[in-house]
Amino acid sequence: MKRPGWHVRDTVLDPNQSTIIMGIVNATPDSFSDGGRFLVEDAAVAQGERLFDDGAHIVDVGGESTRPGAAAVGEAEELRRVIGVVTRLTASGVPVSINTSKPGVAAAAIGAGAAVVNDVKALEAEGMVDLCAATGVGVVLMHMQGDPRTMQRNPTYGDVVADVGEYLRARIRVAESSGIDRRAIAIDPGIGFGKTLDHNLALLNGLPALAAIGVPVLVGASRKAFLGTLSGLPVEERDVVTAVSSGICVMNGASIVRVHDAGLTRDAVALADAMVRRMGEDEDDRSQAA
């Protein structure tokens, strides 16, 4: 099972060598897991460097919480929270993704060195697709039903895997038609973004169908509520179950995992990566013998 590489500006990240780990830095006062811990710039930069040292391939910096019920943040405040962090991390050699749905924030972050735009609204804001096409950054197109204020109010699907896949295919078509290189596109089914527990589990089981779309699949399950429901653990104790879920996602075809603890994840996906490589070798052997 060969996974497609991800082209982010002038770098190609190859999940066949090692699953791509995206570390999370929430420069916010209200994120569900670590709100307020990294609101001060020095703390956010230190956390980004720590994640990179622990094995993250890229650090995702966000200045607006997207947890269920989170309040919107104005562009000026979001810029204040993230641009210094992006500038300092990229200057120290840490690859950075900007987590935003605002073209103005994305443009400033790209100017400060960000290599990826990770957008929970899949580049739907006016001008966002054209910005990403013009600058050659990698992009993450995520599925969300509703918005953070409303998304957990009775989310409903016909077939969640098929519905999410159809939306993501449509957004890929829009991105490509606007000039974004398909090799720069990753997709995210949006675990917890307008999904029930059953929807989340169906999407994790359905990752092979999403991987078959042919671009890297990112999964962001880290510390989320459904893991707490299943494990009974409080949010601050969910890194081990997150690492387990990351390994499962890799076995099901994910190329990128977005996590709060890069070290635990690195160890968990090392085993999954080895098993995926072995499955590929076994498939090759069977093909040659046929």
Side-chain angles (χ1 to χ4, degrees), residues 155-166:
T156 304
Y157 300 87
D159 178 321
V160 67
V161 177
D163 292 352
V164 168
E166 181 179 0

Side-chain angles (χ1 to χ4, degrees), residues 16-104:
N16 300 293
Q17 298 297 319
S18 175
T19 293
I20 301 162
I21 298 173
M22 177 180 281
I24 300 168
V25 174
N26 292 315
T28 61
D30 55 348
S31 293
F32 79 94
S33 170
D34 51 12
R37 289 187 60 199
F38 309 117
L39 186 57
V40 175
E41 184 177 303
D42 286 349
V45 171
Q47 176 65 2
E49 292 174 338
R50 185 179 304 112
L51 287 163
F52 183 65
D53 290 343
D54 285 347
H57 300 89
I58 192 162
V59 171
D60 194 44
V61 178
E64 179 176 19
S65 175
T66 52
R67 64 174 174 77
V73 173
E75 182 173 300
E77 175 61 16
E78 189 175 342
L79 284 166
R80 186 192 67 78
R81 294 176 181 178
V82 300
I83 294 306
V85 180
V86 173
T87 300
R88 289 172 60 184
L89 285 174
T90 56
S92 67
V94 177
V96 171
S97 165
I98 182 65
N99 190 308
T100 189
S101 297
K102 297 182 179 71

Side-chain angles (χ1 to χ4, degrees), residues 6 22 116-119 122-123 138-142 186-188 218:
W6 191 23
M22 177 180 281
V116 171
V117 173
N118 181 9
D119 185 357
L123 311 185
V139 299
V140 180
L141 309 177
M142 198 195 82
I187 54 174
D188 179 351
L218 181 153

Side-chain angles (χ1 to χ4, degrees), residues 167-216:
Y167 171 83
L168 292 172
R169 285 185 179 90
R171 295 309 299 166
I172 290 171
R173 289 193 294 271
V174 169
E176 287 190 285
S177 68
S178 299
I180 295 177
D181 190 329
R182 185 179 181 88
R183 298 172 301 173
I185 299 171
I187 54 174
D188 179 351
I191 299 297
F193 284 82
K195 280 90 177 178
T196 65
L197 171 62
D198 284 345
H199 293 148
N200 290 327
L201 294 176
L203 285 166
L204 295 184
N205 280 330
L207 287 176
L210 298 179
I213 293 172
V215 301

